[in-house]
Amino acid sequence: LFPTMSFRRKPGAPKHLNVITLPLGKHTGILKDSVVEIENEDSVKDLQDNGCYGTNISQSSEDGKDVLIISKEEAFFLHFYLKCLTILKDGQVLSTENLFEHFRKDKRDFISTFIAYCYLKSKGWVIKSGLKFAGDFLLYKEGPHAYHSSYVVSVEDDNPEGEQEKMTGRDLQRFHRVAEASGKELLVITVNYPLGFKGEDFKWQDDAFEKFSIAEMRPMRFTFNP
């Protein structure tokens, strides 16, 4: 956790929580289009209670049951690192390699956002989608049931083959205003790619990310004059 950060507890939230960030059971998800859905009620409860995994809950049109929607970053983290999520597509179990390639194909910057996600998880944060605030992630102490989010995160990278436009001073100013208006601080995570990186040659293996590095920046508010 960042030492100078102040945390805003939600009114009525318990003062002392027994926070467990690791799911207790083994779970199965179904890959549908671009998301992973968890339908089992016990799995939904375990993943939400122990780590606050899942972006939102919707209702299945088939049987009326609640369905937990898991982001790509969450799904791959639970699948590969925690070994607690098996993912099916068309009734077939997806291998780690196939799942990785599917997510890469569906989300161009998946490598960068997943590396950033793992880095932030290693710092002890509960991570949720930052789309509502024009970012990639929101960071919570303990979770949204107890605290307001502390940071809105933007993930940048130096991928030589990437199509992502670099953040300009004006972009940073606008982003900072959004964060400040919602009582959050801005955190920019930059994923540095290894020299000579070629996407077409990059295949999944257990040590696939060892040569990548992370830089973080907490920009203060400033006035940008173009």
Side-chain angles (χ1 to χ4, degrees):
L1 300 176
F2 302 105
T4 60
M5 186 66 219
S6 60
F7 303 106
R8 295 186 300 132
R9 181 179 289 275
K10 290 184 175 179
K15 292 184 178 180
H16 301 288
L17 295 174
N18 181 21
V19 180
I20 301 175
T21 59
L22 299 178
L24 303 178
K26 300 289 186 180
H27 309 291
T28 299
I30 301 174
L31 182 61
K32 294 183 178 180
D33 297 325
S34 61
V35 299
V36 175
E37 296 184 358
I38 310 289
E39 298 180 352
N40 181 273
E41 293 181 4
D42 292 335
S43 293
V44 170
K45 179 174 175 54
D46 184 22
L47 291 169
Q48 287 219 304
D49 289 351
N50 301 314
C52 298
Y53 295 98
T55 302
N56 56 62
I57 295 180
S58 62
Q59 196 172 70
S60 170
S61 59
E62 297 179 0
D63 52 20
K65 291 184 178 180
D66 286 338
V67 176
L68 186 65
I69 307 299
I70 302 292
S71 72
K72 296 175 180 64
E73 291 80 12
E74 288 175 314
F76 203 72
F77 181 79
L78 292 166
H79 168 78
F80 177 70
Y81 283 110
L82 299 190
K83 311 294 186 187
C84 68
L85 180 63
T86 299
I87 299 177
L88 308 177
K89 181 176 174 59
D90 299 326
Q92 302 295 317
V93 176
L94 289 175
S95 67
T96 302
E97 294 80 4
N98 288 339
L99 185 62
F100 180 69
E101 289 303 322
H102 181 90
F103 285 163
R104 278 188 68 189
K105 182 179 179 180
D106 194 60
K107 185 176 183 180
R108 291 181 180 274
D109 61 345
F110 175 72
I111 291 177
S112 298
T113 56
F114 181 69
I115 291 174
Y117 180 91
C118 293
Y119 172 77
L120 294 167
K121 288 295 286 185
S122 75
K123 299 291 186 180
W125 292 105
V126 170
I127 306 172
K128 309 296 282 184
S129 171
L131 184 61
K132 182 179 179 181
F133 297 96
D136 291 289
F137 303 121
L138 294 177
L139 303 186
Y140 292 83
K141 177 183 179 180
E142 297 183 6
H145 56 290
Y147 286 88
H148 294 283
S149 55
S150 300
Y151 287 94
V152 56
V153 180
S154 176
V155 178
E156 306 291 313
D157 64 47
D158 65 355
N159 181 1
E161 299 179 338
E163 299 178 0
Q164 183 184 44
E165 295 184 2
K166 303 302 180 184
M167 181 179 288
T168 65
R170 190 175 294 279
D171 292 334
L172 190 59
Q173 186 182 48
R174 285 195 291 260
F175 198 14
H176 214 298
R177 285 177 177 172
V178 171
E180 188 177 58
S182 55
K184 310 176 196 313
E185 291 193 34
L186 174 60
L187 178 64
V188 179
I189 297 291
T190 301
V191 179
N192 300 307
Y193 279 56
L195 188 65
F197 175 85
K198 293 184 178 180
E200 62 182 11
D201 298 331
F202 187 77
K203 304 299 180 184
W204 173 256
Q205 51 189 355
D206 289 357
D207 60 351
F209 302 131
E210 283 190 355
K211 295 183 179 180
F212 292 77
S213 63
I214 288 282
E216 65 178 54
M217 177 177 65
R218 295 174 58 198
M220 305 304 292
R221 185 176 180 180
F222 67 100
T223 300
F224 174 71
N225 296 312

